[in-house]
Amino acid sequence: MKATTSHSDGVSHRTAQSTTAGTTPHANRARSSLAAAARGRTHADTKDDNIRQAEDNIDSYLTENVAGLEIIACPVSKQQQSQADDATTVVSEALEADIVSHHGRPSGDNGLLFNWLANTVSKKSKEKQPKDKESSIYPLFSLFVRYVATQLERQRPSGLQRAILVNDSFDVTIKDSESNTRPDIILECANLVSNSPGSSASAQNQKQSKMASGRAKTPEKKSQFSFKDIFAVVEAKRSSSDSAVREANIQLFQYTREVYDKQLNRRNVWGATLCGNTVRVSYFGPDYVLSSAAIDLLSASGRHSFIGYLVNWSFCERHCLGYDPTIEWMAKHQCWKISAPTLLTTKRSKSAYKTQYYYAKKVVISAEHMFGRLTRCFLARKTPPANKTDLEPENCEYAIKDAWVESTVDAAVDTRDEISHLVAISDALEENQQVNGMYPKIVAGGRVQFSRGGAAIEEDTTMTVLRDLYPLLTDESNSIVKNRIPFRAHKRIVTEPVAMPLRNLESGYEVIIVIADAMRCHGAIVNGPRILHCDMSMGNIMFTRNRDKTGLKGLLIDFDYAINLDKASDNGHKERTGTGPFMSVNNLEKNDNPRSRLDDCESVLYILSWIATFGLKKSIGANPKIVLNSPIKTWDIGAWSDIAGHKRDHLHSEETFELITKGFHKGLDGVGALRGLVTKLRRCLIEHGSDNDCTGARVLDEPDDLFGRNQPFKSKIDPFEARVAIAGDIYKKMQKVLDEYAVSSRELLRKRGEPV
């Protein structure tokens, strides 16, 4: 698996994810061409990365020919499921009868549909729709879907929830796409409450639901769509060859990733490919993509099977479509209403499940990656907004983190539960005024629960989502799926205070102050409740300040991957956790070296170097030529072992590390201080004492060095292994260096008359 700019944290590769999922949120990564250039990535690079990532994801997560996939689409309510089964039979029988009665007799759109399904399209029609163009099957597929919706409207069964329709604007431009993509066919839900703010599908679908003359009206053609409008994407190819199916899946995976990103209440996503006359339905989850066997629309059994999907989607509960019923768009207030489990005591009471509602408009991190935790973060208040400014970031009181976290089935024995970590941290550091306000304080949180189909309230987990397929797909002796599907629990955490991302700071001096605070808090957490963070990244260190810009303070967040140092099973973990450019060498290599607090310190070195290269929000894009040629790009591209090798190269000596520091952003205020700080931190990490002969970061002989000289550099021992024995001393040295630079930075800013 390649570690491109869009990482995943799936099962087979416990990899870093670029979504830096914080307890208190951070801003989405900028997606403009300028921002891409500022990160050393051109628009073409991003497009190529997305294609490569889709190919890797197909190889890693796609399981084909899954029998019984329709189970996930079926209504949970037994009554509605029975009604859906009956409706499927009635619609299928009606279609087969119409195909026979209209055989060879074109009569409008339906005649064209029936003749296609009977495989007797007229010569004239074939001339209008040449076989070598995939667009020829768009309208035929649309007619099929519309036929099913029309038949359901004629029956008017009591359990019908919505109509599934195709918008006849095929191969349409998506206005909020990051790569100017054009999905072939878009499925929409009529009579479904708006899934997102500003969704044009909502009001339009209200009108479309009034199907006149017993015929389901096709959604009005539009020149542009938003990914917020889409229930599912269908990618079409004229050929049914294996290569055509793979090409369709590559596009489907890319579009589905953007659906996750734009639809803030989407837990799972349906999709499909249409290759030749065969349909394959796909269901996307955090660790899997399950695809049905090929459904031949030119056979009666195939038509019955696909009608079953369309009918079940029309009858099922909203969560079966992949939507989260606990996140609701409030049209009146133009905001989200989010329920979160309450914490009745700081010790996690086992009382009956209760929730508290929060109201949010600002979403500062969305699930822009299909696999892993699917983390989203909102800024919120407890009361509905009375005016437009109530939910502006400066008026919000809480941060809500929503994520699918790998866990144990029994919540009581979940030792790596972030909520438990936050409670332990709050209890241990409550009296420590030196780090007060430097860690998130939990207000509410727990596993998300809701009623399914009128049944008792259940936890939202992988098990309840996959239903009867879960035992089959998680059986390690069964070779059906490519990778083990772990148990994940849907968790929601509410914390305070609300913080801002590092990129919103105004100078390198402020960055140093904030990082030093976060690491001081890091040390208190390691020494107190004995919890090690294990995911230091740009998004997991944030800052708070007063409205007059005084009181600048760092905040360390996101303890999803944290471990308890006193538990042997946790302390020796060899998982790859973190965010690619900021992962330690030990982490990247997934080697046998024990993880220690110095892995987090090493990540801080990379964070500071990254900021010094790419700048802050106000300076981003000022030096794109330098950035595009900077070797720091190698920390974000390639296989994990390649990234580790590049970092060893750069950390090897002060001379090789200058390859990184020479590319620092000359227009960044305080860049000199950042250069001096990272140079000293590298020295602490790599040259940690003369007694151990750590003279470089490389262990193996190389044919030549970075400068082309035929003189291999060699370290007698591996500093990443040797440092573990003296981790405490090195940690103190690094903290001392950070504190000294932070004090100097505060003094300098005060002399300049700037509030800190």
Side-chain angles (χ1 to χ4, degrees):
M1 174 138 180
K2 302 294 183 182
T4 66
T5 52
S6 296
H7 300 297
S8 63
D9 68 343
V11 179
S12 61
H13 314 274
R14 297 293 177 83
T15 58
Q17 54 177 12
S18 294
T19 303
T20 44
T23 304
T24 310
H26 76 297
N28 280 334
R29 186 171 61 231
R31 291 180 180 155
S32 66
S33 298
L34 181 61
R39 294 184 67 251
R41 312 294 294 149
T42 65
H43 182 75
D45 288 337
T46 301
K47 185 176 181 179
D48 290 343
D49 285 343
N50 289 341
I51 293 174
R52 282 194 295 269
Q53 187 66 66
E55 292 177 322
D56 286 341
N57 287 339
I58 288 171
D59 294 336
S60 299
Y61 298 107
L62 177 62
T63 298
E64 299 176 295
N65 301 314
V66 176
L69 184 61
E70 65 278 2
I71 291 172
I72 302 174
C74 290
V76 176
S77 164
K78 297 298 183 183
Q79 181 179 1
Q80 285 180 237
Q81 183 176 345
S82 176
Q83 291 171 333
D85 291 343
D86 292 342
T88 299
T89 300
V90 171
V91 173
S92 296
E93 290 176 350
L95 179 58
E96 297 310 312
D98 282 336
I99 291 173
V100 172
S101 63
H102 289 81
H103 183 73
R105 294 188 295 113
S107 56
D109 287 346
N110 279 348
L112 186 62
L113 169 66
F114 302 145
N115 285 327
W116 169 54
L117 297 178
N119 201 18
T120 58
V121 178
S122 67
K123 181 179 179 181
K124 185 176 181 180
S125 296
K126 289 181 179 179
E127 291 173 355
K128 290 183 178 179
Q129 301 166 9
K131 286 186 177 181
D132 59 344
K133 289 189 177 181
E134 66 186 40
S135 59
S136 64
I137 57 178
Y138 298 167
L140 297 173
F141 181 82
S142 176
L143 290 171
F144 188 106
V145 175
R146 189 197 306 172
Y147 180 91
V148 175
T150 300
Q151 290 295 323
L152 291 176
E153 175 63 14
R154 285 173 176 167
Q155 296 176 36
R156 295 185 179 275
S158 59
L160 186 65
Q161 302 293 309
R162 63 193 67 86
I164 304 298
L165 300 170
V166 171
N167 192 292
D168 278 354
S169 294
F170 304 122
D171 191 25
V172 67
T173 299
I174 305 295
K175 62 186 179 183
D176 52 2
S177 169
E178 66 175 82
S179 55
N180 299 319
T181 50
R182 299 172 63 92
D184 292 337
I185 300 170
I186 291 173
L187 291 182
E188 296 182 285
C189 296
N191 267 357
L192 182 64
V193 177
S194 175
N195 298 318
S196 57
S199 172
S200 58
S202 177
Q204 180 182 320
N205 283 339
Q206 295 290 337
K207 297 177 182 178
Q208 293 160 4
S209 65
K210 299 177 181 178
M211 304 174 187
S213 305
R215 175 180 174 184
K217 289 188 177 180
T218 302
E220 179 183 347
K221 287 189 178 182
K222 294 188 291 186
S223 59
Q224 284 196 330
F225 272 85
S226 165
F227 275 110
K228 297 174 183 177
D229 302 334
I230 297 173
F231 161 59
V233 171
V234 180
E235 275 305 297
K237 299 296 173 189
R238 197 66 188 89
S239 168
S240 59
S241 66
D242 290 345
S243 60
V245 173
R246 182 174 176 83
E247 185 179 349
N249 271 321
I250 289 172
Q251 292 175 298
L252 178 62
F253 272 56
Q254 292 182 76
Y255 301 147
T256 300
R257 181 180 65 82
E258 298 209 57
V259 170
Y260 271 120
D261 184 26
K262 304 303 188 302
Q263 296 189 19
L264 304 173
N265 60 343
R266 204 68 188 264
R267 300 150 56 253
N268 300 86
V269 179
W270 290 94
T273 59
L274 173 63
C275 297
N277 300 310
T278 59
V279 174
R280 291 172 176 83
V281 178
S282 294
Y283 187 69
F284 291 78
D287 302 286
Y288 54 84
V289 181
L290 308 177
S291 179
S292 70
I295 300 171
D296 184 4
L297 297 183
L298 300 190
S299 71
S301 60
R303 290 189 286 271
H304 180 87
S305 178
F306 188 56
I307 288 171
Y309 280 102
L310 294 172
V311 172
N312 279 313
W313 289 335
S314 302
F315 277 82
C316 70
E317 297 82 4
R318 292 185 68 241
H319 64 83
C320 297
L321 297 177
Y323 295 101
D324 185 344
T326 65
I327 300 180
E328 178 185 358
W329 177 248
M330 306 292 289
K332 178 181 177 181
H333 298 292
Q334 289 293 292
C335 70
W336 296 98
K337 181 181 179 182
I338 305 170
S339 68
T342 59
L343 284 176
L344 301 183
T345 71
T346 57
K347 295 298 184 181
R348 301 188 65 192
S349 169
K350 294 186 177 180
S351 302
Y353 183 80
K354 295 183 179 180
T355 59
Q356 167 72 52
Y357 286 113
Y358 296 85
Y359 299 85
K361 184 176 183 179
K362 181 66 173 177
V363 182
V364 287
I365 183 170
S366 58
E368 58 180 355
H369 305 285
M370 282 196 301
F371 304 105
R373 295 179 289 179
L374 304 179
T375 304
R376 296 180 174 96
C377 290
F378 304 79
L379 302 184
R381 294 168 59 97
K382 278 188 178 180
T383 56
N387 54 61
K388 292 182 179 180
T389 62
D390 276 0
L391 291 179
E392 291 301 313
E394 62 270 17
N395 295 321
C396 290
E397 303 164 311
Y398 307 104
I400 301 177
K401 174 182 175 181
D402 183 87
W404 282 79
V405 183
E406 202 168 330
S407 184
T408 56
V409 176
D410 184 356
V413 296
D414 188 358
T415 61
R416 298 184 68 177
D417 175 46
E418 182 177 16
I419 297 172
S420 298
H421 288 324
L422 290 177
V423 171
I425 291 169
S426 293
D427 289 349
L429 303 183
E430 187 175 5
E431 303 299 326
N432 189 339
Q433 293 303 310
Q434 289 188 335
V435 294
N436 185 41
M438 296 181 185
Y439 57 90
K441 295 184 179 179
I442 188 165
V443 176
R447 297 190 177 189
V448 174
Q449 301 181 30
F450 56 85
S451 175
R452 300 167 185 272
I457 291 178
E458 292 182 299
E459 291 183 348
D460 199 18
T461 67
T462 311
M463 185 185 300
T464 52
V465 168
L466 294 177
R467 298 160 69 174
D468 291 346
L469 287 182
Y470 181 78
L472 176 67
L473 297 174
T474 56
D475 183 356
E476 294 187 4
S477 65
N478 194 315
S479 60
I480 263 189
V481 292
K482 292 182 178 178
N483 307 303
R484 180 186 67 88
I485 295 179
F487 179 88
R488 287 186 185 266
H490 185 188
K491 297 181 181 181
R492 192 164 293 152
I493 306 174
V494 183
T495 61
E496 56 182 0
V498 170
M500 299 296 291
L502 290 177
R503 64 188 299 267
N504 282 21
L505 290 167
E506 297 184 1
S507 69
Y509 301 113
E510 290 190 344
V511 171
I512 292 170
I513 293 168
V514 167
I515 295 288
D517 281 350
M519 290 308 293
R520 191 177 307 113
C521 180
H522 182 278
I525 293 172
V526 168
N527 295 327
R530 301 285 295 157
I531 292 171
L532 185 63
H533 192 278
C534 297
D535 187 16
M536 303 294 282
S537 69
M538 280 279 292
N540 293 341
I541 299 176
M542 305 188 76
F543 73 92
T544 61
R545 68 188 342 156
N546 301 326
R547 292 202 178 196
D548 61 0
K549 292 195 173 182
T550 61
L552 179 64
K553 188 177 292 186
L555 182 74
L556 180 61
I557 65 169
D558 191 2
F559 291 82
D560 262 346
Y561 286 127
I563 61 173
N564 189 315
L565 291 171
D566 291 333
K567 295 185 177 179
S569 60
D570 279 353
N571 196 13
H573 83 114
K574 298 298 188 293
E575 293 178 357
R576 239 184 229 115
T577 58
T579 305
F582 316 120
M583 290 164 65
S584 70
V585 169
N586 285 334
N587 205 350
L588 287 163
E589 292 178 345
K590 207 175 180 181
N591 56 37
D592 292 330
N593 297 336
R595 304 297 183 261
S596 74
R597 65 188 75 182
L598 296 184
D599 288 280
D600 285 354
C601 289
E602 184 183 336
S603 294
V604 167
L605 171 64
Y606 301 139
I607 293 168
L608 289 166
S609 299
W610 197 263
I611 293 173
T613 302
F614 298 112
L616 300 169
K617 188 174 183 180
K618 62 189 298 184
S619 61
I620 199 165
N623 62 345
K625 291 184 179 179
I626 294 176
V627 170
L628 286 171
N629 296 318
S630 173
I632 203 170
K633 289 173 59 178
T634 61
W635 297 0
D636 198 27
I637 303 171
W640 302 119
S641 58
D642 294 336
I643 296 176
H646 292 310
K647 287 183 176 180
R648 281 186 179 271
D649 283 340
H650 295 141
L651 294 178
H652 177 71
S653 67
E654 290 194 9
E655 186 181 24
T656 57
F657 193 56
E658 283 182 3
L659 294 172
I660 299 298
T661 60
K662 283 181 179 179
F664 281 4
H665 197 313
K666 293 181 180 179
L668 175 63
D669 183 21
V671 67
L674 285 171
R675 183 178 289 111
L677 175 58
V678 297
T679 298
K680 288 189 176 181
L681 293 178
R682 186 214 71 84
R683 196 175 299 153
C684 291
L685 276 171
I686 303 302
E687 299 162 11
H688 34 76
S690 57
D691 295 338
N692 53 37
D693 292 326
C694 283
T695 58
R698 300 292 301 186
V699 178
L700 301 175
D701 288 338
E702 298 289 346
D704 48 45
D705 67 16
L706 294 178
F707 303 96
R709 299 173 302 207
N710 294 319
Q711 297 177 1
F713 42 71
K714 180 178 180 181
S715 173
K716 293 183 179 179
I717 59 175
D718 183 358
F720 301 100
E721 177 183 3
R723 71 189 187 191
V724 176
I726 52 175
D729 291 338
I730 297 174
Y731 190 79
K732 289 178 182 178
K733 289 179 182 178
M734 296 188 74
Q735 187 62 61
K736 182 180 179 181
V737 171
L738 280 166
D739 286 340
E740 289 173 350
Y741 270 78
V743 169
S744 298
S745 295
R746 284 188 185 274
E747 290 177 352
L748 185 146
L749 292 176
R750 288 194 183 101
K751 287 180 180 179
R752 296 194 329 194
E754 298 181 22
V756 288

